[in-house]
Amino acid sequence: MAPIHATHDQLAQVRYDADGLVPAIVQDASTGEVLMMAWMTADTLRLTLAEGRTVFWSRSRREVWRKGETSGEVQLVRSAHYDCDGDTLLFVVDQQGGGACHTGNRTCFHRAFGPAGDPAAGDA
Amino acid sequence: MAPIHATHDQLAQVRYDADGLVPAIVQDASTGEVLMMAWMTADTLRLTLAEGRTVFWSRSRREVWRKGETSGEVQLVRSAHYDCDGDTLLFVVDQQGGGACHTGNRTCFHRAFGPAGDPAAGDA
């Protein structure tokens, strides 16, 4: 797990919401699939960059959530991006284990709107 | 622009936050790039599915925002997905015009954390 050495100026570009959170999109480096979206605090963003693996803030449990710590489905960060107005993050990762989703699916976005919206057809 | 006929059950899976909003990730169908993230209300989600193009809610302007209406950078929706807990959406689109970002970049995530984080190197 290789750390990413963000500059102070880069980190200062990130804007957090009233709860101190920023949405973080996770994309599979090998397939390009969007795997999931979760939330980070300034602290878990720093942990993610330092540890080279995604670390989120669990809004429901109100605690630091190291993705894959119990499941083994760790996400090794290849690159980390922030958007034009600094209020959304994107992590391109090597997904370890079976997938990103707690349902056992590779991506959390396995369901699609529309008549073809069954799980099999819904994979992005 | 082809409409997507979502079922009542599918639409009922979507969970909105306290402000009535749900984050919507937009991905380029041809390149796989994550282009942007914006917000939808239940109304703009219905408009998006009905019109087959992305329609967001502008939090700053507090109004319906038909992406590309003035710039021509319309996003034609190929498929629309909702995640495992229904609180994030994903739209796979054909991006029209030069790109998704108001800065002129193809993706809003053109900046990366780290020493290689210049705009050119930062493209996902």
Side-chain angles (χ1 to χ4, degrees):
Chain A
M1 306 192 202
I4 291 173
H5 300 288
T7 66
H8 180 81
D9 282 355
Q10 289 167 351
L11 290 171
Q13 299 288 318
V14 181
R15 287 164 50 195
Y16 300 89
D17 70 12
D19 296 320
L21 301 174
V22 61
I25 301 165
V26 182
Q27 181 177 31
D28 190 297
S30 56
T31 66
E33 278 176 304
V34 177
L35 297 173
M36 58 180 286
M37 199 280 274
W39 298 81
M40 290 186 182
T41 59
D43 280 346
T44 65
L45 171 57
R46 276 191 285 266
L47 288 171
T48 295
L49 297 173
E51 300 183 9
R53 53 174 286 179
T54 56
V55 183
F56 302 105
W57 178 255
S58 169
R59 296 183 301 173
S60 56
R61 298 193 307 272
R62 304 194 62 76
E63 64 181 19
V64 172
W65 163 34
R66 280 185 168 74
K67 173 69 180 168
E69 193 160 47
T70 52
S71 67
E73 292 168 349
V74 171
Q75 296 169 334
L76 304 180
V77 178
R78 287 261 205 105
S79 62
H81 308 258
Y82 53 105
D83 78 345
C84 51
D85 50 9
D87 64 4
T88 308
L89 307 178
L90 170 66
F91 296 88
V92 180
V93 306
D94 291 323
Q95 175 69 59
Q96 308 296 294
C101 190
H102 74 284
T103 60
N105 287 282
R106 182 154 180 84
T107 167
C108 294
F109 297 96
H110 56 278
R111 299 181 297 181
F113 294 108
D118 60 273
D123 285 340
Chain B
M1 305 193 205
I4 291 172
H5 300 287
T7 67
H8 179 81
D9 283 354
Q10 290 168 349
L11 290 172
Q13 299 287 318
V14 181
R15 288 166 48 196
Y16 299 90
D17 70 13
D19 296 319
L21 300 174
V22 62
I25 301 164
V26 182
Q27 182 177 31
D28 190 297
S30 57
T31 66
E33 276 175 304
V34 176
L35 297 173
M36 59 181 285
M37 199 278 273
W39 297 81
M40 290 187 181
T41 60
D43 279 348
T44 65
L45 171 57
R46 275 191 285 268
L47 288 171
T48 294
L49 297 172
E51 300 182 11
R53 55 173 287 178
T54 55
V55 183
F56 303 105
W57 177 255
S58 169
R59 295 182 300 171
S60 55
R61 299 193 305 272
R62 304 193 61 79
E63 64 181 19
V64 172
W65 164 32
R66 282 186 167 75
K67 173 69 180 166
E69 192 158 48
T70 52
S71 67
E73 293 169 348
V74 171
Q75 296 170 334
L76 305 180
V77 178
R78 287 260 205 106
S79 62
H81 309 260
Y82 53 105
D83 77 347
C84 50
D85 50 10
D87 64 4
T88 307
L89 307 178
L90 171 67
F91 296 88
V92 180
V93 307
D94 292 322
Q95 175 69 57
Q96 310 294 293
C101 190
H102 74 285
T103 60
N105 287 283
R106 182 155 180 84
T107 166
C108 293
F109 297 96
H110 57 279
R111 298 182 299 180
F113 293 107
D118 61 273
D123 285 336

